[in-house]
Amino acid sequence: MSTPHAADGEELITTDVPARLDRLPWSRWHWMIVVGLGTVWILDGLEVTLVGNIASRLAEEDSGLDITTGEVTGIAAASYVAGACSGALFFGWLTDRFGRKKLFLITLAVYLGATALTALAFSSWWFFLFRFLTGFGIGGEYAAINSAIDELIPARYRGRIDLIINGSYWLGAVFGALLSVLLLNTSLFPPELGWRLTFALGVVLGLVILLVRRNVPESPRWMFIHGRGHEAEALVAGVERSVTEETGRPLPEPRGSITISPRESIGFVTIARTVFRSYPRRTTLGLSLFIGQAFLYNAITFGYGAILTTFFDTASDHTGYYFAVIAVGNFLGPVLLGRFFDTVGRRPMISGTYLASGVLLFGTAALFDGGHLSAVTLTACWCAVLFFASAGASSAYLTVSEIFPMETRALAIAFFYAVGTAVGGITGPLVFADLTESGVVSDTVLAFQLGAGVMTAAGLVAVFLALPAEQRSLESLASPLSARRRGPHRV
C-alpha cells in the first residue's frame, strides 16, 4: 500500500487488497465467514415459519395471551414487516458509515433481545411491539450481512455462496414447520408454554451464532475506503499466511490495484444520487427483481394453508408437513443451481430462473383451474416453481449487492429489500388474501396468474438489464465513489 498525495494535497491510497482477497483459494477462513454470517437466514426462516404456525395456538383461551388469530396474522405480521423495512434502511445507512462488523453484531443483539422479550409477552401490545423490534433487527441483518459476505468472498465463488446463504432461509423454514408440530403438542407442553418455547429456541440459536460471529473480521474493503488502510493490509496479510499454511502452496500474484481518496463518511444525498441518477438501469433491474419475487411468493405462500384446507380438506394441523416439503424445494434451488451463476453467467441464470418459475406457475394455475390437482400434486407443482424462484429471489440480493459502489452497498441492499418486503408484506396480503381464501377456484387461479405475470415480467427485464458480473471484482462492476479517475456511469 502506498499513500501518495494529489496535486491539491489530498491524501491518496493505492492498494491491491481487493485483488488479494479475490485471488484466495477456498479455505477454512471462508467457511468461518459463511457459518458466522450466513446462519442468520436460518434463524429468519425459523422465526417467520414458527410464528405463522403458532397463530391458532396463540388465539386459544389458555395460551396466556389475549390475542386473536387475525391479530397474529394481521397486526403482528404487519408489525414484523414494518420493523424489517425500517430496520433495513436504518441499519443499512449505519453499516455503510460505521462498518460491517459493528452492525452485524448490533443487529443480531437487537434480534436476540426482542425475541427473548416476545417469549415473555403478557398482552397483545407487548407482543406487537417486540415483533416490530424483532423485524427491526432482522432487516438490519440483511444489509450488514450481504454486504460483508460479498466483500469477503472471492469473486469466482461469490455467486454460489451468496445464493446458498440467502437460500438457507428455507432450511430454517423446514425446521420451523417441523418444530411447530412438536412444540405445539399439548401432550408434551402446556398450551401457555409451547409457543413461548418456540421464541426461546430462537434466542438459544442466536446466542450460538453470536459466539461464532465474534471471530468474523471487518471488511478490508470498507477499512481502506474509510482511511484504515494499514489495518486492512494487516488483516489480509494474516489471512494470506493462514491460507498458505493450510494449502501448502504459494498464492498467485494479485492482479491490479486501486487508488482511492479515503472518506470518513458519505452523505445520504450523495448515495441517493449515485443509485438513482448514475445507475438508473441497475436501479430498474433491482426493483424489478425484488418486486417480482415478492409477488410470486405471496401468490403461493400467503394463503397456502387456506388453499389446502379449503380445496383439498387437509387438516389444519397437517399443513406444516406440506410447507416443510415446499421449503425443501426452496432450499435445493439455490444449492443446486448456485454454481451456474458463476459459470454459465448472471444474465442467463437470473432471467432463466425468473422466467422458468413464472411459466411453471402459469402451468400450475391451468392445472388447478381444470381440477387436475390434489394436495400432493399441487405441493409437487409448488416445489417445482419454487425450486427456480428461490434461486432467482436469492440472486436479487446478490445483484443489488454487487452492482453499486462500495460506499452505497449496504444501503442499496436495504432499500431494495425494504421495497420488496413492503410489497410482499403490505400489497401482497391486500391483493392475495381474499383471492386465496374465498373458496372460489377462479379467484385462486387469478392469484397464481398475477404472481406468475409479475415474476415473468421481472425475468424479461433481467434479459436486457442484468450484468455479466460473474467472476468479476466488485470494483470492476462499480468503481468506488472514493476512487480517483472515476468516469461517469449511466448504466
Side-chain angles (χ1 to χ4, degrees), residues 34-251:
V34 170
V35 173
L37 299 183
T39 43
V40 73
W41 270 255
I42 298 177
L43 266 184
D44 191 16
L46 181 75
E47 173 84 18
V48 173
T49 306
L50 282 174
V51 173
N53 288 335
I54 67 174
S56 59
R57 176 57 48 81
L58 285 170
E60 295 176 0
E61 291 185 2
D62 53 1
S63 70
L65 196 62
D66 183 18
I67 196 170
T68 67
T69 301
E71 288 175 331
V72 178
T73 58
I75 299 175
S79 298
Y80 184 87
V81 168
C85 293
S86 54
L89 293 171
F90 177 72
F91 287 122
W93 177 71
L94 292 179
T95 298
D96 281 332
R97 185 179 180 89
F98 297 110
R100 283 45 171 145
K101 180 164 185 173
K102 286 181 181 178
L103 271 298
F104 63 60
L105 292 175
I106 291 172
T107 52
L108 182 56
V110 170
Y111 163 82
L112 288 172
T115 301
L117 289 168
T118 303
L120 301 176
F122 58 87
S123 67
S124 57
W125 72 264
W126 181 284
F127 187 81
F128 300 148
L129 171 63
F130 287 102
R131 288 306 295 159
F132 173 87
L133 292 176
T134 300
F136 197 72
I138 285 292
E141 285 276 290
Y142 275 84
I145 301 306
N146 270 304
S147 55
I149 287 172
D150 285 349
E151 290 169 9
L152 292 168
I153 297 299
R156 62 187 176 280
Y157 302 112
R158 190 172 64 238
R160 72 195 75 181
I161 295 301
D162 200 294
L163 258 71
I164 291 172
I165 286 175
N166 280 284
S168 68
Y169 171 97
W170 294 101
L171 192 59
V174 173
F175 293 146
L178 298 178
L179 281 171
S180 66
V181 176
L182 172 66
L183 294 173
L184 299 183
N185 188 334
T186 54
S187 64
L188 297 175
F189 303 102
E192 72 277 7
L193 178 63
W195 69 267
R196 297 182 189 274
L197 290 177
T198 64
F199 292 106
L201 178 63
V203 174
V204 172
L205 293 177
L207 286 172
V208 173
I209 294 172
L210 184 60
L211 291 175
V212 177
R213 187 174 287 184
R214 291 170 57 197
N215 298 316
V216 177
E218 179 58 86
S219 164
R221 283 178 158 99
W222 182 89
M223 283 181 172
F224 72 72
I225 288 289
H226 288 78
R228 296 166 55 183
H230 292 292
E231 294 179 59
E233 291 282 339
L235 194 159
V236 174
V239 174
E240 290 171 332
R241 285 193 298 271
S242 66
V243 171
T244 300
E245 292 173 1
E246 178 184 338
T247 62
R249 297 191 301 271
L251 296 172

Side-chain angles (χ1 to χ4, degrees), residues 22 24 26 34 149-150 153-165 333-351 353 391 394-395 398-399 402 467-474 477:
D22 282 338
L24 290 174
W26 193 260
V34 170
I149 287 172
D150 285 349
I153 297 299
R156 62 187 176 280
Y157 302 112
R158 190 172 64 238
R160 72 195 75 181
I161 295 301
D162 200 294
L163 258 71
I164 291 172
I165 286 175
V335 170
L336 299 179
L337 298 178
R339 67 187 184 92
F340 297 113
F341 284 78
D342 288 323
T343 54
V344 175
R346 299 285 201 269
R347 180 177 293 170
M349 290 305 298
I350 295 171
S351 59
T353 51
S394 295
S395 74
L398 167 68
T399 298
E402 63 185 4
L467 301 178
E470 60 276 4
Q471 303 192 35
R472 292 175 58 186
S473 72
L474 296 172
L477 290 168

